[in-house]
Amino acid sequence: MVIVLVCWQIAANIGLVDASFSSDPLRIATAEAKLFGSGEIFPALGATAYELLWGLVITFAAGIPIGLVLGRSRILHDMTEPIINVLYSVPYVMFLPVIIFWFGINNTSRVLIIIWAGILPLVINITAGVRNLDRDYLRVATVFCTPRLKFFYTVALPATLPYILAGIRLAVGRALVGAIVAELFLASQGLGYFVQTKTSNFDMDSAMAGIVLLAAFALLLNWVVRLIERRFTHWAGAR
């Protein structure tokens, strides 16, 4: 990474790259300092974080139980698998006009896109985890006549935790992309809108600073999920 930044800075200094259109690391760092110093970036950060938080909370609250149920019920799995595959395969951007028509250009539409982007990989991962449960777990649960509801939170949930956390990693990444896409089309605030506005005004330093913040935000979220993964699924690798 350091080598790339140094090469980028040298290329800009010698004129190999036009800094007016691509900026350079020093100008981006200066723009970051100005944005934080003036407080201009805080409303955009706050708007994106607020939408992403609500979207992820709803995604996790709905996606985990849905994945557990679909993985356990063959009938429901067979009924919903084609629909899930279609929704996962078709880019959600194609449905933006429909979402705008139904919900308007507001926070509801943006949160809905975040949920759409994040919940499908989560459900697919958890469903696969439940369907691949160790048969010994199923036999023990059957022998002890474990009630269906109790089976989900005492057997299925702990056993599929690696799949759940892997799905959460995918969901977080896709949800962040969904948040930016939603802000590009449906917002007057947020980091996506901020970068779009600065690019339209040819303020490439601020635009690149916004992109760097997005990358840092994504890395932070990924790091947090990986910490949780190592903390709660260390036993999975040992098996």
Side-chain angles (χ1 to χ4, degrees):
M1 178 62 74
V2 174
I3 295 175
V4 172
L5 293 176
V6 170
C7 292
W8 183 6
Q9 186 64 52
I10 293 173
N13 288 342
I14 64 177
L16 188 62
V17 172
D18 190 347
S20 300
F21 293 98
S22 64
S23 191
D24 62 57
L26 291 179
R27 291 172 62 169
I28 293 171
T30 302
E32 294 277 12
K34 288 181 179 178
L35 290 173
F36 280 98
S38 65
E40 182 183 357
I41 196 65
F42 292 125
L45 277 173
T48 298
Y50 176 80
E51 295 163 3
L52 192 62
L53 175 63
W54 274 109
L56 288 176
V57 166
I58 297 172
T59 294
F60 299 154
I64 293 174
I66 290 172
L68 292 173
V69 171
L70 293 183
R72 186 61 178 156
S73 172
R74 179 180 296 275
I75 295 174
L76 289 177
H77 175 267
D78 292 342
M79 288 174 59
T80 58
E81 186 181 26
I83 300 173
I84 291 175
N85 288 337
V86 168
L87 293 177
Y88 186 72
S89 301
V90 177
Y92 48 85
V93 178
M94 300 294 292
F95 294 94
L96 281 176
V98 178
I99 293 173
I100 293 172
F101 181 76
W102 284 353
F103 300 98
I105 303 176
N106 51 37
N107 283 338
T108 302
S109 296
R110 295 193 288 275
V111 171
L112 181 62
I113 292 173
I114 293 170
I115 295 170
W116 191 330
I119 198 170
L120 294 175
L122 180 61
V123 169
I124 291 171
N125 254 49
I126 297 173
T127 301
V130 176
R131 290 177 64 82
N132 287 291
L133 273 179
D134 192 322
R135 293 195 175 276
D136 289 339
Y137 297 158
L138 301 177
R139 293 191 187 100
V140 171
T142 302
V143 167
F144 284 95
C145 301
T146 305
R148 180 164 297 185
L149 181 60
K150 190 175 182 180
F151 172 84
F152 281 119
Y153 67 83
T154 60
V155 179
L157 184 61
T160 58
L161 196 56
Y163 289 88
I164 292 172
L165 291 174
I168 286 175
R169 284 185 64 187
L170 293 172
V172 166
R174 285 178 61 94
L176 184 57
V177 173
I180 300 308
V181 169
E183 289 172 356
L184 289 175
F185 290 94
L186 305 174
S188 58
Q189 56 185 350
L191 281 175
Y193 179 79
F194 175 85
V195 171
Q196 183 185 49
T197 301
K198 294 300 181 182
T199 303
S200 300
N201 294 331
F202 296 100
D203 184 358
M204 296 306 301
D205 297 339
S206 296
M208 292 298 291
I211 293 172
V212 169
L213 283 176
L214 283 172
F217 198 38
L219 288 174
L220 177 63
L221 289 173
N222 188 63
W223 176 73
V224 169
V225 175
R226 292 201 64 173
L227 278 182
I228 298 172
E229 217 171 351
R230 284 199 295 267
R231 171 65 179 82
F232 291 102
T233 63
H234 56 86
W235 51 268
R239 290 186 60 202

